[in-house]
Amino acid sequence: MTEQPGARTHEEPDLLRDQFRQLLRYRGLIAAGVAAGLLGGAWVGLAGGEEYVATSEVTVRSASVDPFAPGGSPEKELSMGSEVQTALSSAVVTRAAEQLDLPGDTERMQQGLQVTNPPNTLVLRFSYTDASPANAAEVANAITDAYLDNRERQTESVIDNMVEGYENQLEPLREQRDELAEQISGLGEGRALDTTLSVQSSVIGRISELNNSITKLKALDTTPGFVVRKATPPHAPSGPGLSLLLGLGGAVGIGIGLLAAWVRLVFDPTARSESDVVRALRAPVLGTLPRRRRDAPARLLAEGRLAEEYRSVAFRLAYDQTFADRRRLLVVAPRGSIDTAAAVSVNLAASFVEMGREVLLVEADLRTPILAARLRSADGIRPGWARTPARGDNGWPTGLQIPIDAGESGAFDLIPGSRVRNVARALTSGPASRLVSTADAADSVVVVLAPAVLSYADAIALADRVDGVLVVCDPREVRRDDLDRVRELVGGAGGTVLGALLHSEGAGDRPGFLGRR
C-alpha cells in the first residue's frame, strides 16, 4: 500500500497523545512524585532556616611614593587571585575573630565567608552568611577591616625589613668613610692623596644612594585599600523563599512522577491502549464498550448506549469482506472469565437479527455452559429456517435448539452447551460441523461462543471451521504477549482475527437473569 503524503505527520501527534494518555493511567505515581517534591521543598525551606547575607566591598591598591603623580601607576601589578586567597586565609579570619572577641568561632566564620573579585576590577567583595542579619553585617565588616589591616602590616613589615637591610649596609660604609677622612688629614700633596680622595668619594656616593633608598621606603604610602561599601544588616533572608521552594519542589515532583510513570509504562506487560492491541493482533479495534454505571442493573442483553455500540460493531462486521463471505463468527477472550465474551456474543446475535439475518448462536463452552439458564426463551417464536439439530454421539449437540427472545430486536436460536466427557471430540464431531455449516444458507449468521483461547484449546479446534475470530479483551488487563499468542494460534489453525472489541472493568453488563425458559 502506498503511504499517503503527510500520513506520518498526522500519526506522530496521535502517538504522542496516546502515550500521554497512557502515562495518565498512573496518576498515583504522578501524585506521589508531586507530593514528594512539595515535601522536599517544604523541608528545605523550613528545616534549613533563614540565612542572611551581608556584603562589603573594598578597592585594593599597592604602596606608592606619590599616588597623585600624573600618569602614575602602581609600582607593582596586583594579582587579584592571590588577594582573594589571602582574604579567605585563616590568618585574616583569625584576626577578625580576635577583634570580635570570638576566638573559638574561626572555623564557622571561615565557612560562612565568600570573597569574589568582579571581572576587570581591583575590587574585593566580602559576603558573609549568618542566621542573624546584625551578626552577618558585623562579621563582614570585621573581616574586611582584618584584611586591610593584615595587608597593611605585611607592607610595613616588608618596608621595615628592607630599611633594616639598608641600615646594615650603611654601617660599614660609614666606618670606612671615617677611616678615609683620618687618612686624608695625615697625607700631604701627592699621588696617595688623590687615590684616597677618589675612594672616599665613591664611599660617600654609595652612602648617599642607600640613604635615598631608605628615605623613599619610609615615604611610601602603605594604605592597602579603601572600603567603598560597608556591610549593613540585610532586611530579607537570602535564597528562594518558601513559596518559591514549594513551586520548584512541585515542578521537580511532576518530573519525578512522570519519570516513574514512564518507567512503569515501559515495564508494563499489558496492552494499555487500542494501538497496542492493534499492533499485537494485527487487526483493527471494532469498538470499545462504554463503562456501565455502578447503580445500573446487570443485564445480558444491552440497552441504550451499550446496545448502540454492539450495533456499530455488527455493522462493521457485516460489511467486512472476510466475514461477509462466510458469515461465521467465533467470539473469544484471551484468558480468564468469558462473561463479557458471552454478553458480546448474545448482543451481536441480536444485532444481526435486527439487520434481517437468521442467526444461530452456538454455545461451544462445554465446560461451564451458562447461556440457556440466563436467557429468556421465546415460546412460539421460531425463525422459519430453523431446524432441530442432530444429536451428537459424544453428548453434544444435545439435539436441543432454543428460540431466544431478544426483545425489540426479534429472536434468534440458541444451541446450548452441555458438559461432556471429551470436549475436543464433541467440538470436532460431524453434528458440530453441520451446525457451523448452517451459515452457508442465504442471509444466515452463526455466532459461536468458546472458552478463553489461552485457557483451553477449544477455540483453536473450531478456528478452521469458524474462521472469523473476534477477540474480546480489557487492554488494561490483557498482556501484549497473550494477544500475540492468540494471533499466532488462530492463524496457525487456519482462522483470521477480524478485530477486537475492548471493554474495561465495569464496562458492559455482566450476565444476569432475564428469566428462565
Side-chain angles (χ1 to χ4, degrees), residues 163 186 195 222 274 336 345 371 373 404 421 453 480:
V163 169
T195 302
T222 59
E274 290 187 13
S345 62
L371 293 184
I404 300 299
R421 179 174 300 179
V453 178
R480 293 190 297 275

Side-chain angles (χ1 to χ4, degrees), residues 92-347:
V92 173
V93 177
T94 301
R95 187 183 297 275
E98 292 174 353
Q99 292 176 3
L100 296 173
D101 197 20
L102 298 171
D105 292 347
T106 302
E107 184 176 354
R108 181 178 61 84
M109 291 171 61
Q110 200 160 11
Q111 291 176 351
L113 175 63
Q114 184 179 10
V115 181
T116 57
N117 168 231
N120 302 321
T121 65
L122 297 178
V123 175
L124 289 183
R125 182 174 296 145
F126 293 80
S127 301
Y128 187 76
T129 304
D130 195 88
S132 169
N135 290 342
E138 184 180 11
V139 174
N141 290 324
I143 293 177
T144 301
D145 295 338
Y147 164 74
L148 293 175
D149 184 52
N150 179 74
R151 194 166 185 278
E152 185 173 15
R153 289 191 182 188
Q154 287 180 345
T155 303
E156 291 177 350
S157 175
V158 172
I159 292 174
D160 291 342
N161 290 335
M162 294 184 67
V163 169
E164 183 179 358
Y166 287 149
E167 292 288 353
N168 293 335
Q169 295 180 43
L170 281 174
E171 187 62 30
L173 291 175
R174 288 170 179 162
E175 293 177 358
Q176 184 180 4
R177 181 196 60 187
D178 293 341
E179 291 177 357
L180 291 174
E182 292 177 0
Q183 292 179 9
I184 291 172
S185 63
L187 295 175
E189 296 291 335
R191 187 177 181 83
L193 178 61
D194 294 339
T195 302
T196 304
L197 288 173
S198 176
V199 174
Q200 184 187 33
S201 175
S202 176
V203 171
I204 292 173
R206 178 61 179 159
I207 291 174
S208 177
E209 292 177 1
L210 292 174
N211 283 329
N212 287 337
S213 298
I214 291 173
T215 301
K216 288 182 178 180
L217 286 173
K218 291 183 177 182
L220 285 175
D221 181 9
T222 59
T223 303
F226 303 97
V227 177
V228 296
R229 178 183 176 186
K230 192 175 182 65
T232 57
H235 298 290
S238 64
L242 180 60
S243 59
L244 181 57
L245 287 174
L246 288 176
L248 292 175
V252 173
I254 291 175
I256 294 175
L258 289 175
L259 178 61
W262 178 78
V263 172
R264 178 69 178 86
L265 182 64
V266 169
F267 292 98
D268 187 357
T270 60
R272 302 188 304 264
S273 67
E274 290 187 13
S275 58
D276 284 347
V277 174
V278 170
R279 283 191 293 269
L281 291 177
R282 299 179 187 174
V285 172
L286 301 179
T288 301
L289 301 183
R291 285 180 176 272
R292 180 176 59 84
R293 293 182 306 174
R294 292 182 179 275
D295 57 349
R299 300 176 62 88
L300 187 58
L301 284 169
E303 296 178 349
R305 179 186 171 193
L306 184 55
E308 290 299 325
E309 185 64 31
Y310 283 122
R311 292 187 184 102
S312 175
V313 175
F315 271 103
R316 292 190 65 178
L317 287 171
Y319 292 101
D320 182 273
Q321 189 61 40
T322 304
F323 175 77
D325 289 342
R326 305 197 59 173
R327 300 182 301 280
R328 296 174 175 87
L329 181 65
L330 179 62
V331 181
V332 295
R335 67 168 71 245
S337 172
I338 63 167
D339 286 345
T340 304
V344 170
S345 62
V346 170
N347 284 279

